[in-house]
Amino acid sequence: MTSATAHTHTIKPLATLTPSSTSRAWSSAPHPYLPILATACSDKTVRVYSLTSFTHLSTISGGHKRSIRSCAWKPGVRNESVLATGSFDASAGIWRRWEEGSGAMKEDAEPVDFTNGVKDDDEEEEDEEWRFAVVLDGHESEIKSVAWSAGGQFLATCSRDKSVWIWEEMEDDNFETIAVLQDHEGDVKCVAWHPEEELLASASYDDTIRLWREDLDDWTCVSVLNGHEATVWCVDFELVENASLVTEQLSEPQQALLDARKQAGPRLISCSDDLTIRVWKRNPKQKTEVPTGQGRMPSIFKNNSIEEDWVEEAQLPSVHDRAIYTAAWSKRTGRVVSTGSDGKIVVYQEKWRDTSNLNGNGHAASEGKGEMTGGDTAMTGAIEEDSDSPLTEWVVVAELDGAHDVFEVNHVCWVKRCDKGRRNDAEEVIVSTGDDGEVKVWTIEGS
Amino acid sequence: MDPDKDNANPTILLASDLPSRRLSNPSSTSKPRADGSTGLFDALIPSYTYLNDPFAPRSPSSSEADSDDENVFEEIDEQEVYDLISTISDPEHPLSLGSLAVVNLPDIHIDTAPTTSRNPISTVTVLVTPTITHCSLATVIGLGVRVRLEQALPPRFRVDVRIKEGTHSTGEAVNKQLGDKERVAAALENGTLMGVLRKMLATCV
């Protein structure tokens, strides 16, 4: 299906991971270094698929009594795979599997059979022995999302009980709750960690996004992002300096913008029931200045506070006509992919705005409000915030209707392409997960 | 009368006064399916059969009140949706939602996606009128309607159940819950709640 009219690229089907689940699939997570993918399913299992052959490898089952809503691989682990699962049964699970050759299972680790003897006999006895290592109890109702911090030190879980829990692994299989954060006024739908700092973002049914950080042994809310007019379903941090913006001939304001972004750190993206996808950026703190951002400040205002000033930078072009469940920021290209109830997959990219309608020396119309010529990067506000014409804009580069036929698509993510057909080492595919139980892989053509 | 019930004296409509297909607009082109079934049981057929059905081109006529341009393989109009939900039992009274006027035919709308889209998604919007403005069971009733339609209609239908504006003190809060897919899915895994819903849906055809 091509939309020859507007878009520069098309989304083409590459594979459907088979055999698929027969019940709703909620979300998928690619392994940090192996070419495999885990999918959280409502039949209380996690299905593990190969991204080279696109086939089902194993099923992780027996640990949860209700749908598994979310799963995440622990980063930075060698010699084993560690998977966290979050379930509607209000518990999170930690699963482990050794990756180095067969027979490397720990002798003293008695695999506990949580299946009451009804093991999944379909799978062959390969090296696919998943051990249910720990159950993390504490939440009072369904867990919606689990996420590991960038280094793998912390695990965050969030729930309909309005709280976010942070867990730290003390030693093997011993997790301690180090924070229970209850500031949200509604279900917490998603948690996501900053790629570099120990900063956690949470998205909520109360229409807000909150950011959390550790301050003298206490985790606390450091910013509240208001703006969305309905439930926020998902948040994701940027990682890469936007590849499409780093071109050769950058003008001074353009370079200054990139420098400012580097100083402020990765931005945050969010998507919502209000049909918008919003980009948020941090205004780096001045040493003497008190943050006075648009975000509602937490009630306890400490001196020398660690509160942060995050503001809405942009809204992506409107394409979805029903709730948007997931927005994901590519770590390689800076593109964003989104999906939702309308069954569409949409890809967006940030570009330099055409400056032909600016005045001669390339400065935005309302020059004089910000420091535009590099040099002293005193950021009292981002460059484009004060000007009428932002330097960048988001455009839709590809759009696909009916990705999972008539079914809703719950999750979408960027995955490094691992199969034989990949064109280069940096190629990414899109993996979508839908109500039809299917997990599909897509390429973007036209670049 | 039971003083513990939210609404001990509801207004009850006679079954013969409720809208039914016989009395509906005779211009509706109700095309019977080839095998004689009415479409009500399509939920029992594995959804993948829809993938094989040829999608005949749609006539671009649609006005909102007339959804009968679905002359392909499914004939689902507002009356059929009403028939699906009017027989749901009220959780409090041994009466149906139709006879209590909790669901009404004029409060059901079907929007079909624009014909240019490859995706034949249709949205059914049902406005529910609780019997009294502070009915504590409004969420359960709305959930019953949503579950019934999600189970009975083909997957290309999106179901939006809302409390009719002005009929409930916390209507917006209830609507937000009913519109949250995750919450609805989790509710269906809740044993107690499912027990109540099963009782409500037991009187459906």
Side-chain angles (χ1 to χ4, degrees), chain A residues 15-57:
Chain A
T16 299
L17 305 186
T18 56
S20 55
S21 172
T22 48
S23 63
R24 167 186 280 154
W26 279 111
S27 71
S28 297
H31 194 281
Y33 58 90
L34 294 176
I36 63 178
L37 180 93
T39 300
C41 301
S42 60
D43 62 1
K44 313 173 200 169
T45 70
V46 169
R47 297 173 72 82
V48 181
Y49 294 96
S50 157
L51 290 171
T52 48
S53 63
F54 302 128
T55 56
H56 171 253
L57 292 175

Side-chain angles (χ1 to χ4, degrees), chain B residues 142-150 159 161 178-181 184:
Chain B
L143 189 60
V145 171
R146 181 160 168 167
V147 168
R148 170 66 174 155
L149 290 178
E150 276 184 0
V159 178
V161 179
L178 294 176
D180 186 314
K181 166 190 195 169
V184 172

Side-chain angles (χ1 to χ4, degrees), chain B:
Chain B
M1 291 294 161
D2 186 345
D4 291 332
K5 289 189 179 169
D6 252 6
N7 182 359
N9 293 306
T11 308
I12 304 171
L13 304 175
L14 293 175
S16 54
D17 289 340
L18 298 178
S20 69
R21 195 166 290 284
R22 275 193 319 280
L23 306 173
S24 65
N25 189 345
S27 72
S28 67
T29 56
S30 221
K31 210 165 99 169
R33 290 164 55 90
D35 56 4
S37 63
T38 60
L40 260 182
F41 301 103
D42 286 324
L44 301 176
I45 301 171
S47 56
Y48 288 92
T49 56
Y50 297 117
L51 303 179
N52 298 326
D53 281 331
F55 283 71
R58 229 176 261 279
S59 57
S61 61
S62 45
S63 61
E64 215 182 357
D66 175 15
S67 68
D68 288 325
D69 52 352
E70 293 183 54
N71 51 359
V72 187
F73 50 93
E74 278 304 326
E75 194 58 56
I76 297 186
D77 59 356
E78 283 86 348
Q79 180 65 52
E80 181 156 355
V81 173
Y82 179 81
D83 292 337
L84 286 171
I85 59 179
S86 59
T87 48
I88 299 175
S89 295
D90 181 272
E92 262 188 338
H93 309 280
L95 296 159
S96 74
L97 296 186
S99 59
L100 287 169
V102 171
V103 298
N104 303 290
L105 185 58
D107 294 331
I108 299 173
H109 299 281
I110 300 181
D111 295 321
T112 310
T115 58
T116 50
S117 164
R118 183 198 117 179
N119 210 357
I121 289 180
S122 303
T123 305
V124 178
T125 306
V126 177
L127 299 178
V128 170
T129 309
T131 49
I132 47 173
T133 56
H134 53 275
C135 177
S136 56
L137 293 166
T139 315
V140 175
I141 291 172
L143 189 60
V145 171
R146 181 160 168 167
V147 168
R148 170 66 174 155
L149 290 178
E150 276 184 0
Q151 289 177 346
L153 294 175
R156 65 190 167 86
F157 281 92
R158 300 286 180 263
V159 178
D160 285 337
V161 179
R162 305 176 56 80
I163 303 296
K164 190 162 184 177
E165 218 173 296
T167 63
H168 195 274
S169 52
T170 64
E172 279 314 302
V174 175
N175 289 340
K176 190 161 176 162
Q177 289 185 63
L178 294 176
D180 186 314
K181 166 190 195 169
E182 232 179 15
R183 278 214 180 190
V184 172
L188 297 188
E189 296 185 5
N190 176 323
T192 319
L193 190 48
M194 274 315 289
V196 174
L197 288 175
R198 243 177 259 123
K199 257 183 70 181
M200 287 169 65
L201 301 183
T203 49
C204 293
V205 173

